[in-house]
Amino acid sequence: MPKPERDYSETLFLPQTEFPMRAGLPQREPEILARWEKADLYKQLRAAAKDRDKFILHDGPPYANGNIHIGHALNKILKDVVTRSQQMLGYDSNYVPGWDCHGLPIEWKIEEENYRSKNKTKPNLSDPAAMVAFRQECRAYADHWLNVQREEFKRLGVEGDWAHPYTTMDFFAEAQIARELMKFAANGTLYRGSKPVMWSVVEKTALAEAEVEYEDYTSDQVWVKFPVADVSLEGDDKNDIAAAFDLVGNASVAIWTTTPWTLPGNRAVSFSPKISYGLYRVVEAPTDNWTKNGDLLILADKLVEAVFKQARVTTFEKVRAIDARVLAGMTCDHPLKGKGGYDFPVPLLAGEHVTDEDGTGFVHTAPGHGRDDFEIWIANRVELQNRGINPAIPYTVDENGAFTEAAPGFTGKRVINDKGEKGYANEAVVKALIDAGMLIARGRLKHQYPHSWRSKKPIIFRNTPQWFIAMDKDIAGKGDTLRHRALSAIKVTRWVPEQGENRITGMIESRPDWVISRQRAWGVPIAVFVKEKPDGSVEILQDPEVELRIIDAFEREGADAWYKAGARERFLGKLANDSWKKIDDILDVWFDSGSTHAFVLEDPRHFPTLAGIKRKMDGGKDTVMYLEGSDQHRGWFHSSLLESCGTRGRAPFDVVLTHGFVLDEQGRKMSKSLGNVTAPQDVIRQSGADILRMWVCASDYADDLRIGPEILKTTVETYRKLRNTVRWMLGSLAHFREEDRVKLDKMPELERLMLHRLFELDALVRKAYADFDYKRIFAALSSFMTSDLSAFYFDIRKDTLYCDPYSSVKRKACLTVLDHLFRYTVTWLAPMLCFTAEEAWLSRYGDVAKSVHLEIFPGVPASWRDDKLADKWRKIRMVRRVVTGALEIERAQKRIGSSLEAHPIVHVSNVELYEAVVDCDLAEVCITSAATLVQDEGPSDAFCLPEVAGVGVVPNLAEGEKCARSWKILTTIGADPDYPDVSPRDAQALREWEATRRAAE
């Protein structure tokens, strides 16, 4: 019988590793988390970073209400990548997680789950004991969801001080929030005012701009007559006044509004001196029309046709132009005059907010129901008084959205009901206008209207007593206003991306005074005492002893102390007999979260790991970052900026980074009804948290991100390729010994090229991490590891690594480079793929090794840089592409199976390319058994690539026999008689392998 062929596989240096090809992340990641917790990785990180400059990512607190969603995952993963990468860049990068625990959503949940769903009556919150008990229910609810979310965030791989988070309901936090409010009272910017605020009837509270979103809504629209009552021309004689009145005395100013319910609150009509107006007569209209033949209307010239079309007027004529001077002296009657309670003059006021883009060119002005209306009314207060007009602003709508007695004839009619549905108020007002003969036209308009972002129901503007912080009041000198401070602070902050600066600047420039009060139960109270003044304003008590008693009580008992029986007397002490009134409104939750810097970053007693922060503006080197979604320009960034500037004169942050929102694969918002929700819990259960982390880091977070089954499928495939690259390095490094390390000057060109690539990548990675540009890092590393390493370097060097003799310098040089490649790529990936990097690190260095996250990014020797070599190999790779292309055709035509069956003839006419490859082992580079280089243009049928001019390849078959060990086809097989079926190189390898085995026996 013939002698069987020898199995040479045991003589090969094949990869050996326990690092599995199939990641099994859903099972492996919890094991790594347990390892980190047992080792107290957070404590180790702090110890390793002692005395370094600090980089603090101050957590924007999520709301402790419900399981986390994909937006939370995006946010927390980004924060973790920032924190881990800054630590590895050489900072003491610390992250203390936090939660926002007060506010209406939790009150709603308690009312629904503890009362409505059980048919129980909600407690009477005017009773101190009931109020405190209700607040304790809210606290317990927030605490439950805080703990649920904490575990979900940790499962994402987020490293931080989870054992000591901050919450806005911590007693010390509630005390500090109250202390911050007292600072605004002390600097004179806190005041109680009467202003129209955005009011949620459903939620029974005022809303800040950050709590409002605009949605489609169908409104009732009406065009209404305001009959001219008088004209007073200042400085002119009686004849001129009489002439002006004769001109318009029987006319009406026409207004248009989409909120008919605000007409009982009307007190003026606004116009613009920049608009051309005219007096128009109705010539022909249907007999049943509200607008009759002969009616005289004053309108903006540009809008006349549109108005009369709505009014079904078929023919009209312009009587004459109306000068703005006449309008300025004009007074009208209210359209409901004579209906009881509306017999007051309605002046015309010039306003910059009036345009002739739509409507009539006049704006119905109800100062209790709109910001522009309020501002123009207040700006003309003195003039109004001089004209004998009462400047008081009526309270026409109450907290339930119902008309008060200040809206005679409509009391009790509701604008919006408790469910957020349109009430009967509009219809009642329109009917009254028809009865009075003052309606020109009516219709419906679908447009963008403000809604509460929590209840998703429309809101109203209503005049209410609220607490405000003034934006334009001088604080420590003339011009030193909160607005000025905030705008100045924005300019010295780094915004990522840069357009964030313009966005928040525009918001600060145009925002009104900050309304900070809410009429609810679960929150930090506006802990002040006041005395009413005759003009409706209040005096705020500022007494150090009273304030100290409040703060001490809050620190011991929490803000519940404010609502306990006898609280007024307890805190006022000897002042209790005076007429000081305790305010029971609570603070807007944006004030709570806007104050977190005060009780987290500035409180070394409760957060010792954050002690000693000295920012650059204070002469130090430490940096504080805020990172949230782009909506927080109007939310947490905004309130934190105002709070800190008002109390400290500067922003609480040095860097602000924003990210977009998460949409489905079609770019739609996620909703359960559409069935397009991607839950992070499901992704983790199926694929692992590192897949989510890879998705985040590979995406452009500055824009909206998309996610769904196909995107995740692509992410998993990309992850698989990266993991297999790492796995191959680990397997090959099983054969590396430290004593075999090869110095740079002894390395072949290909190894030196890889070290040069590490030099290039190091600069890119460091800069991109410093710029928070993770997609750039991920793209660069993904390309490097799949194209430069797996598809090029590893492919070429597999023969050397597997088959070369143990003594081969080339093999040892390759292993040396693999050691570097592993260390650099895994540490660079560690902030992004925290679990996989840790698993690979432990696989390489053993379970006793330190965590990869305790490493800093290793420096790259300048000697590794070799631009000339890189240019040479760029040209070699161009030639290689042509050879590979030719061999792919041969393989497709089944003329060869493996590239080792080929012996390509490579014709190179391009001088630069020829000089690059002339001393190169083309067979090795192209993974063929042989290759021949010829300096000419080659035959006409040679394979070419248009993008690589001057190279042609003729793909001949290799000649000789197949090496039983390396599978190369060579003419030298059997040259060593001791090993007749292998090449001389393999014979030497076998001889060394056998000698090593004998020595070990």
Side-chain angles (χ1 to χ4, degrees):
M1 293 181 62
K3 184 180 178 180
E5 291 185 3
R6 179 178 177 182
D7 181 5
Y8 287 112
S9 60
E10 67 173 344
T11 71
L12 300 174
F13 295 104
L14 294 174
Q16 298 173 10
T17 180
E18 294 181 359
F19 188 77
M21 181 182 298
R22 292 182 63 84
L25 293 176
Q27 294 75 40
R28 182 68 175 127
E29 288 173 345
E31 296 172 1
I32 294 172
L33 285 171
R35 177 186 174 89
W36 288 342
E37 187 164 357
K38 182 178 179 181
D40 198 346
L41 179 59
Y42 177 79
K43 184 177 180 180
Q44 289 188 52
L45 287 164
R46 301 285 67 76
K50 186 180 180 182
D51 298 328
R52 296 184 195 170
D53 296 339
K54 298 179 186 295
F55 186 100
I56 308 299
L57 197 159
H58 180 43
D59 195 23
Y63 201 65
N65 180 19
N67 295 99
I68 70 169
H69 53 68
I70 196 67
H72 287 119
L74 163 65
N75 178 266
K76 280 295 190 284
I77 288 170
L78 266 180
K79 288 176 177 175
D80 191 56
V81 175
V82 169
T83 303
R84 290 183 188 271
S85 60
Q86 293 296 319
Q87 179 88 8
M88 297 182 83
L89 281 169
Y91 292 96
D92 178 5
S93 184
N94 197 351
Y95 171 69
V96 174
W99 274 271
D100 203 349
C101 298
H102 295 131
L104 184 62
I106 289 177
E107 283 196 49
W108 271 10
K109 286 292 185 180
I110 295 302
E111 291 176 12
E112 174 60 33
E113 295 179 8
N114 294 9
Y115 297 96
R116 284 194 293 270
S117 67
K118 299 177 181 178
N119 294 317
K120 292 172 63 177
T121 302
K122 180 184 174 181
N124 176 11
L125 299 184
S126 62
D127 175 63
M131 169 65 103
V132 171
F134 182 78
R135 286 172 56 88
Q136 288 174 348
E137 288 182 273
C138 293
R139 180 179 291 276
Y141 181 91
D143 189 59
H144 164 75
W145 282 109
L146 183 158
N147 287 316
V148 171
Q149 290 184 1
R150 170 165 34 198
E151 295 309 308
E152 291 180 319
F153 288 142
K154 288 166 69 175
R155 182 61 187 86
L156 293 169
V158 180
E159 185 58 54
D161 195 358
W162 294 108
H164 308 96
Y166 79 81
T167 79
T168 56
M169 67 179 184
D170 288 328
F171 289 178
F172 66 85
E174 292 181 332
Q176 186 60 39
I177 292 167
R179 192 181 283 117
E180 294 299 305
L181 176 72
M182 292 170 184
K183 293 177 182 178
F184 283 101
N187 68 25
T189 56
L190 177 68
Y191 72 95
R192 194 188 76 178
S194 171
K195 282 189 176 183
V197 296
M198 292 178 285
W199 182 267
S200 171
V201 173
V202 175
E203 298 158 276
K204 300 292 189 293
T205 190
L207 300 179
E209 289 183 355
E211 298 171 297
V212 172
E213 57 191 13
Y214 287 80
E215 302 289 347
D216 285 343
Y217 186 75
T218 300
S219 295
D220 298 300
Q221 57 178 341
V222 292
W223 288 258
V224 180
K225 303 173 188 175
F226 277 69
V228 176
D230 192 17
V231 178
S232 176
L233 300 183
E234 187 176 343
D236 293 273
D237 60 28
K238 292 182 179 180
N239 292 333
D240 289 336
I241 295 172
F245 186 75
D246 286 344
L247 178 66
V248 297
N250 295 319
S252 294
V253 171
I255 68 93
W256 165 74
T257 181
T258 58
T259 53
W261 61 269
T262 61
L263 283 165
N266 175 276
R267 291 300 182 268
V269 173
S270 299
F271 72 97
S272 172
K274 299 176 183 178
I275 294 176
S276 298
Y277 295 94
L279 177 65
Y280 291 87
R281 180 184 289 113
V282 176
V283 175
E284 188 173 351
T287 55
D288 62 344
N289 217 34
W290 289 318
T291 305
K292 308 297 184 183
N293 292 345
D295 280 359
L296 292 170
L297 298 178
I298 303 173
L299 297 159
D301 292 336
K302 183 179 174 181
L303 296 167
V304 170
E305 290 190 11
V307 172
F308 282 134
K309 182 179 179 181
Q310 291 286 341
R312 299 196 302 159
V313 171
T314 53
T315 309
F316 58 89
E317 63 181 5
K318 184 173 183 176
V319 178
R320 63 166 297 162
I322 299 295
D323 190 274
R325 201 166 57 96
V326 173
L327 295 176
M330 190 178 290
T331 303
C332 292
D333 288 331
H334 194 282
L336 297 179
K337 182 179 180 180
K339 298 294 181 179
Y342 299 97
D343 299 340
F344 47 80
V346 178
L348 266 70
L349 305 174
E352 292 293 326
H353 65 292
V354 183
T355 72
D356 56 3
E357 292 178 2
D358 49 30
T360 66
F362 294 97
V363 175
H364 137 64
T365 301
H369 296 299
R371 178 183 171 187
D372 290 332
D373 304 46
F374 174 83
E375 289 182 350
I376 194 172
W377 184 256
I378 294 302
N380 286 276
R381 179 189 290 269
V382 174
E383 181 190 340
L384 293 170
Q385 290 174 326
N386 292 338
R387 291 168 68 173
I389 296 172
N390 182 3
I393 300 173
Y395 294 94
T396 54
V397 177
D398 67 15
E399 67 274 12
N400 298 309
F403 280 126
T404 67
E405 293 181 355
F410 306 104
T411 304
K413 298 287 191 301
R414 298 191 71 173
V415 180
I416 293 176
N417 64 25
D418 290 338
K419 295 181 179 179
E421 301 164 340
K422 192 180 296 184
Y424 187 66
N426 271 350
E427 201 58 42
V429 171
V430 172
K431 185 177 183 301
L433 291 170
I434 294 172
D435 293 345
M438 292 295 135
L439 192 67
I440 298 171
R442 70 177 298 183
R444 293 184 182 276
L445 178 68
K446 186 175 182 180
H447 61 142
Q448 292 279 293
Y449 187 84
H451 289 61
S452 165
W453 76 350
R454 293 193 181 93
S455 68
K456 306 302 180 185
K457 301 298 182 182
I459 65 167
I460 61 174
F461 286 82
R462 62 178 286 261
N463 193 35
T464 62
Q466 297 289 343
W467 286 90
F468 297 85
I469 291 174
M471 291 296 297
D472 298 306
K473 179 178 175 56
D474 291 341
I475 298 174
K478 188 168 180 57
D480 179 34
T481 65
L482 180 53
R483 193 184 311 275
H484 174 76
R485 288 182 177 186
L487 290 172
S488 298
I490 289 170
K491 293 177 182 177
V492 296
T493 298
R494 179 184 174 190
W495 299 89
V496 183
E498 293 179 353
Q499 56 264 37
E501 179 175 354
N502 292 334
R503 187 174 184 192
I504 196 168
T505 295
M507 291 176 175
I508 295 295
E509 285 177 338
S510 61
R511 71 155 296 132
D513 287 352
W514 184 10
V515 55
I516 61 166
S517 50
R518 296 290 182 271
Q519 290 69 49
R520 301 300 300 186
W522 175 229
V524 178
I526 296 179
V528 297
F529 293 92
V530 300
K531 281 184 180 178
E532 300 284 344
K533 292 183 177 180
D535 62 359
S537 64
V538 295
E539 175 190 353
I540 302 172
L541 175 64
Q542 295 186 48
D543 184 289
E545 292 184 6
V546 172
E547 292 173 0
L548 183 59
R549 282 195 288 269
I550 294 170
I551 298 302
D552 284 348
F554 281 21
E555 287 183 337
R556 290 194 309 272
E557 307 163 37
D560 287 354
W562 189 255
Y563 297 101
K564 292 179 179 177
R568 179 184 178 277
E569 291 71 23
R570 172 188 182 183
F571 295 130
L572 283 174
K574 62 185 179 183
L575 299 176
N577 292 329
D578 292 349
S579 57
W580 293 107
K581 176 184 175 184
K582 182 168 74 77
I583 299 301
D584 286 331
D585 286 357
I586 64 168
L587 282 163
D588 168 22
V589 292
W590 290 114
F591 190 93
D592 285 15
S593 58
S595 302
T596 56
H597 65 95
F599 60 82
V600 179
L601 303 183
E602 300 174 12
D603 187 350
R605 182 163 66 96
H606 291 100
F607 300 102
T609 64
L610 297 175
I613 298 172
K614 191 172 184 180
R615 294 164 61 191
K616 295 179 180 68
M617 61 181 63
D618 299 319
K621 296 181 179 180
D622 300 335
T623 299
V624 173
M625 169 186 263
Y626 279 33
L627 185 162
E628 297 300 328
S630 57
D631 58 331
Q632 296 308 309
H633 286 110
R634 66 173 186 169
W636 187 55
F637 301 151
H638 200 115
S639 63
S640 298
L641 176 68
L642 294 182
E643 203 290 324
S644 184
C645 285
T647 55
R648 291 152 178 80
R650 61 187 187 180
F653 39 66
D654 304 294
V655 183
V656 174
L657 185 148
T658 54
H659 60 76
F661 299 100
V662 184
L663 309 173
D664 75 1
E665 289 177 317
Q666 284 72 49
R668 300 173 300 175
K669 290 178 68 174
M670 292 187 186
S671 71
K672 291 181 180 178
S673 61
L674 290 175
N676 64 345
V677 174
T678 298
Q681 296 86 351
D682 293 339
V683 179
I684 292 170
R685 191 178 306 114
Q686 294 164 12
S687 304
D690 262 1
I691 299 303
L692 274 178
R693 295 177 70 99
M694 176 177 280
W695 163 72
V696 170
C697 294
S699 302
D700 182 0
Y701 64 74
D703 202 353
D704 290 341
L705 291 77
R706 298 188 182 193
I707 195 171
E710 290 304 312
I711 289 172
L712 286 170
K713 184 178 177 181
T714 301
T715 305
V716 168
E717 178 59 22
T718 303
Y719 173 85
R720 185 189 64 81
K721 292 178 181 178
L722 288 182
R723 183 179 181 88
N724 283 344
T725 300
V726 173
R727 182 173 184 270
W728 189 86
M729 285 193 284
L730 282 168
S732 298
L733 285 168
H735 305 290
F736 177 65
R737 302 292 179 267
E738 186 60 37
E739 60 270 21
D740 292 335
R741 189 176 294 277
V742 177
K743 293 182 178 179
L744 180 66
D745 60 353
K746 300 290 192 246
M747 286 185 179
E749 284 190 358
L750 189 54
E751 276 59 44
R752 288 189 282 122
L753 174 67
M754 291 300 104
L755 296 182
H756 171 81
R757 288 291 291 123
L758 286 177
F759 178 89
E760 290 180 321
L761 281 168
D762 178 68
L764 181 151
V765 168
R766 287 177 183 276
K767 185 177 189 310
Y769 269 130
D771 292 341
F772 317 107
D773 190 355
Y774 308 122
K775 69 180 186 305
R776 187 178 180 209
I777 300 169
F778 186 80
L781 290 182
S782 180
S783 174
F784 176 64
M785 294 177 74
T786 56
S787 299
D788 285 9
L789 296 186
S790 290
F792 177 65
Y793 180 59
F794 295 172
D795 226 14
I796 293 171
R797 281 293 184 247
K798 282 177 181 176
D799 177 72
T800 297
L801 283 173
Y802 299 172
C803 301
D804 266 17
Y806 183 85
S807 62
S808 164
V809 173
K810 186 191 295 185
R811 175 182 163 278
K812 293 179 179 179
C814 179
L815 287 170
T816 302
V817 168
L818 284 179
D819 182 60
H820 291 309
L821 287 170
F822 176 86
R823 189 172 192 86
Y824 282 92
T825 55
V826 171
T827 52
W828 287 340
L829 284 170
M832 297 186 287
L833 304 181
C834 65
F835 293 110
T836 302
E838 185 80 332
E839 182 186 6
W841 196 260
L842 296 176
S843 180
R844 173 80 177 96
Y845 299 111
D847 279 346
V848 297
K850 295 189 305 178
S851 169
V852 67
H853 302 290
L854 292 169
E855 299 290 317
I856 61 171
F857 295 134
V860 175
S863 59
W864 289 5
R865 179 176 182 177
D866 195 332
D867 295 330
K868 185 176 180 181
L869 181 68
D871 185 61
K872 174 183 177 179
W873 275 86
R874 178 183 61 82
K875 296 168 185 173
I876 292 173
R877 293 185 73 170
M878 290 172 66
V879 175
R880 183 180 189 264
R881 282 174 56 204
V882 185
V883 176
T884 302
L887 297 184
E888 286 174 358
I889 293 175
E890 295 302 296
R891 190 179 290 110
Q893 296 296 325
K894 301 191 183 304
R895 288 191 284 266
I896 63 171
S898 162
S899 63
L900 290 176
E901 296 176 22
H903 175 173
I905 310 300
V906 184
H907 300 268
V908 181
S909 60
N910 182 295
V911 176
E912 288 188 4
L913 295 182
Y914 181 82
E915 290 177 352
V917 298
V918 69
D919 61 349
C920 167
D921 186 343
L922 267 181
E924 179 182 68
V925 171
C926 298
I927 317 175
T928 59
S929 291
T932 300
L933 178 65
V934 181
Q935 188 176 14
D936 64 17
E937 293 185 358
S940 59
D941 60 349
F943 177 82
C944 300
L945 288 177
E947 62 268 29
V948 186
V951 179
V953 176
V954 177
N956 290 346
L957 292 174
E959 296 180 354
E961 296 179 36
K962 183 177 181 179
C963 175
R965 186 168 180 269
S966 67
W967 297 1
K968 287 184 178 181
I969 297 173
L970 303 167
T971 59
T972 57
I973 303 301
D976 188 323
D978 293 337
Y979 301 97
D981 55 351
V982 300
S983 71
R985 184 275 310 259
D986 291 272
Q988 177 61 27
L990 288 168
R991 192 168 280 109
E992 291 188 18
W993 180 84
E994 289 167 351
T996 302
R997 189 174 66 170
R998 285 195 300 271
E1001 289 177 351

